[in-house]
Amino acid sequence: MSKGRFGVHGGQYITETLMNAIIELEEAYNHYKNDTQFQKELSELFQNYTGRPSRLYYAEHLTKKLGGAKIYLKREDLNHTGSHKINNVLGQTLLAKKMGKTRIIAETGAGQHGVATATAAALMGMECEVFMGKEDTERQALNVYKMRLLGAKVHPVTSGTATLKDAVSETMREWANRIDDTYYVLGSVMGPHPFPTIVRDFQSVISKEIKQQMLEKENRLPDVVLACVGGGSNAMGAFYHFIEDTSVKLIGCEAAGKGVHTAETAATIATGRLGIFHGMKSYFCQDNYGQIAPVYSISAGLDYPGIGPEHAWLYDTGRAEYVPITDEEAVEAFEYLSCVEGIIPALESAHAVAHAMKIAPNMDKNKIIVINLSGRGDKDCVSVAKYRGENINE
Amino acid sequence: MSNIKKVFEKGKTLIPFITCGDPSIAITEELIYTMQKTGTDFIILGIPFSDPTAESDVVQSANLRALTNGITTDKIFDMVSKIRQNTNITIAFMTYANVVFSYGSEKFISKSAELGIDGLIITDLPFEEKIEFLPLCKEYDINLISLIAPTDSQRISMIAKQADGFIYCVSSSGVMGTNSHIITDISDIIALIKESQNIPCVIASGTATPQQAAEIAKQADGMIIDSAIVEICEKYGNDCVKYVQEYIQEMKQSISK
């Protein structure tokens, strides 16, 4: 079996033209992940630039209102640039710099990963180009402006469905065309090996901190860890250090869009099947002939037809559970958390909040749920207002 | 000896690439007959994929046009089965891993063998992942074609030694050769391949002119023309057949000079 496998999933299903770059990346990562100087620099950036450790906040009002399990929020939304994306981006950009690359490229859906990448590029003095589906550039004009403000060039992608999956394809093409000076900062725990491992390692700081903070606050491990899943980077980060602790239930919340029985969904585990795409074997939304399905979710960050290979494996082994959450449920949770705790969650993260709202009331008061609040919701106010039939100017 | 190797015994080989179902499966069928009329011995039939990550804009659009027109793997199998009553032309399928995997790898490969398909080229299948389809290809006697791009000499030899049928050489603009151990010159790559195994080497070229074809023919055993034909299909739609024929004839003359 080839490298980078999680059960049958993962691997390196890419064109021969990308193999040099992938081999170079793997060698560099294997070297730097154990390099104390690299880890020291990254840890300083995490503390002083991102603002880590992020808080583990006891959501007392939410807990009381739901009347069941005790709920904690892991506040990744308080990170610099407003989401967990910065963890991975700082790690990979630092790696790119150590490798002697001068230019970084990235795909982005809603623009969160693009903004984080443009931020890291500005910080570390690298050239940056971001590929974003044309439709997304129109829906997320503010993020496009931010990326340009940070000095990045944004390329609207018009191929295919002009959304996230096409942005990934286009960034892969660009990488194959210019490998010498360019590093591809992939934004999720997906793609060919070693990306799923690299991104998971940089995001695993989330579960490392949760574990430590939970022991300090409660002197025990949580019973449930909840996170939303598109490609699955924030969930992988929040799950990783709990995989061995089998008493901790891990639940990933997928975007069901308008429902898993409609075509307008992005719930890969609920509706997809095993396939090979974007460099990996995993579960994908696809038709009978293996054509990748156009997917839909109100949340652009979960609007991806696949799931990272390690999640696919956690699902196969039963270690993690994956549940679909509809647009309507996510929007309700978005509004509920805003009112109850004064915290506006990203629509992506609201999928995890929605599931907590379903399960917490049925759990004992001595049980503990941690929700990974992966991002803040400022970016989503316009689309939620629109969903509720209100038109506001950005 | 495989049919593919036999083709190259006749000399420099021009291998046209057609995206099945663009502009329609009926035209694809006509194009195959036309290719044969021009004396073409070997063609590559592309099975469209929704997300052809490695393709140029031209080929990407052709894939999407064909899928929008309702082409499916089964319709392509039916078409090949039909033309097989009239032609023995050597055919390789070219597609992406998910098209084969999702159909059921064994079902796809055994069906291809039944239809007299001689080769299978999977764009997103590097050496490291060959095992995914190689045992089935061996079982059903189909050559799983290896691709080689500019890389170091060790990798070139590693791939070449285990390659079947012919080697698909890809020139890549991504590697500028600042990395000293990467071999970018196509003649050097081919020389290294031949040291490892005496196997036909074919260069893939996009929008090739007859002059370029003549130049490539000097270096390799053959050339694949992909986007040039796809562009003609895009430009002329249902009237493309005669223009493709003219183009192939011109190219064939230039490589046999």
Side-chain angles (χ1 to χ4, degrees), chain A residues 285-354:
Chain A
C285 301
Q286 53 183 312
D287 74 7
N288 292 337
Y289 290 101
Q291 307 297 345
I292 303 303
V295 289
Y296 162 83
S297 161
I298 188 171
S299 143
L302 303 181
D303 200 353
Y304 182 73
I307 188 167
E310 196 165 3
H311 282 295
W313 174 72
L314 289 175
Y315 170 72
D316 286 355
T317 57
R319 179 63 194 92
E321 185 189 329
Y322 295 84
V323 295
I325 299 292
T326 63
D327 284 359
E328 178 63 27
E329 290 167 330
V331 167
E332 274 170 22
F334 177 92
E335 293 164 338
Y336 193 74
L337 191 70
S338 302
C339 292
V340 172
E341 288 289 346
I343 295 171
I344 306 174
L347 261 177
E348 288 81 6
S349 324
H351 285 71
V353 177

Side-chain angles (χ1 to χ4, degrees), chain A residues 139-357:
Chain A
R139 286 194 289 204
Q140 297 285 345
L142 181 63
N143 274 339
V144 174
Y145 176 77
K146 281 187 195 166
M147 288 184 260
R148 283 174 28 223
L149 181 68
L150 291 158
K153 196 170 168 192
V154 180
H155 299 278
V157 175
T158 53
S159 58
T161 52
T163 56
L164 180 57
K165 77 177 167 86
D166 309 288
V168 173
S169 300
E170 200 58 41
T171 319
M172 283 185 172
R173 263 179 225 119
E174 174 64 19
W175 200 27
N177 284 334
R178 194 169 156 186
I179 286 163
D180 280 8
D181 63 347
T182 301
Y183 181 102
Y184 178 10
V185 181
L186 215 152
S188 194
V189 286
M190 47 154 288
H193 173 72
F195 282 115
T197 300
I198 292 182
V199 179
R200 177 255 277 153
D201 286 353
F202 289 138
Q203 291 295 0
S204 68
V205 67
I206 301 172
S207 50
K208 195 177 163 192
E209 287 175 6
I210 296 175
K211 208 170 191 177
Q212 204 179 337
Q213 291 164 325
M214 190 48 67
L215 289 172
E216 279 164 18
K217 286 176 195 287
E218 298 276 353
N219 198 26
R220 55 167 290 202
L221 294 177
D223 298 287
V224 175
V225 176
L226 281 179
C228 64
V229 184
S233 70
N234 92 81
M236 213 50 242
F239 292 173
Y240 186 64
H241 287 283
F242 292 111
I243 293 175
E244 298 292 306
D245 304 306
T246 49
S247 69
V248 183
K249 205 167 175 184
L250 307 174
I251 306 177
C253 305
E254 298 193 303
K258 295 188 176 160
V260 292
H261 301 296
T262 71
E264 289 170 285
T265 181
T268 309
I269 294 286
T271 67
R273 61 191 175 92
L274 193 61
I276 298 169
F277 182 50
H278 277 159
M280 58 183 170
K281 187 181 271 185
S282 188
Y283 294 107
F284 296 97
C285 301
Q286 53 183 312
D287 74 7
N288 292 337
Y289 290 101
Q291 307 297 345
I292 303 303
V295 289
Y296 162 83
S297 161
I298 188 171
S299 143
L302 303 181
D303 200 353
Y304 182 73
I307 188 167
E310 196 165 3
H311 282 295
W313 174 72
L314 289 175
Y315 170 72
D316 286 355
T317 57
R319 179 63 194 92
E321 185 189 329
Y322 295 84
V323 295
I325 299 292
T326 63
D327 284 359
E328 178 63 27
E329 290 167 330
V331 167
E332 274 170 22
F334 177 92
E335 293 164 338
Y336 193 74
L337 191 70
S338 302
C339 292
V340 172
E341 288 289 346
I343 295 171
I344 306 174
L347 261 177
E348 288 81 6
S349 324
H351 285 71
V353 177
H355 195 62
M357 288 165 63

Side-chain angles (χ1 to χ4, degrees), chain A residues 102-108 113-115 117-118 121 126-132 147 150-156 167 170-171 174 178 181-185:
Chain A
T102 53
R103 175 174 176 260
I104 55 177
I105 55 173
E107 85 292 345
T108 197
H113 175 60
V115 169
T117 306
M126 319 258 294
E127 214 182 304
C128 178
E129 293 182 35
V130 178
F131 295 80
M132 186 172 185
M147 288 184 260
L150 291 158
K153 196 170 168 192
V154 180
H155 299 278
E170 200 58 41
T171 319
E174 174 64 19
R178 194 169 156 186
D181 63 347
T182 301
Y183 181 102
Y184 178 10
V185 181

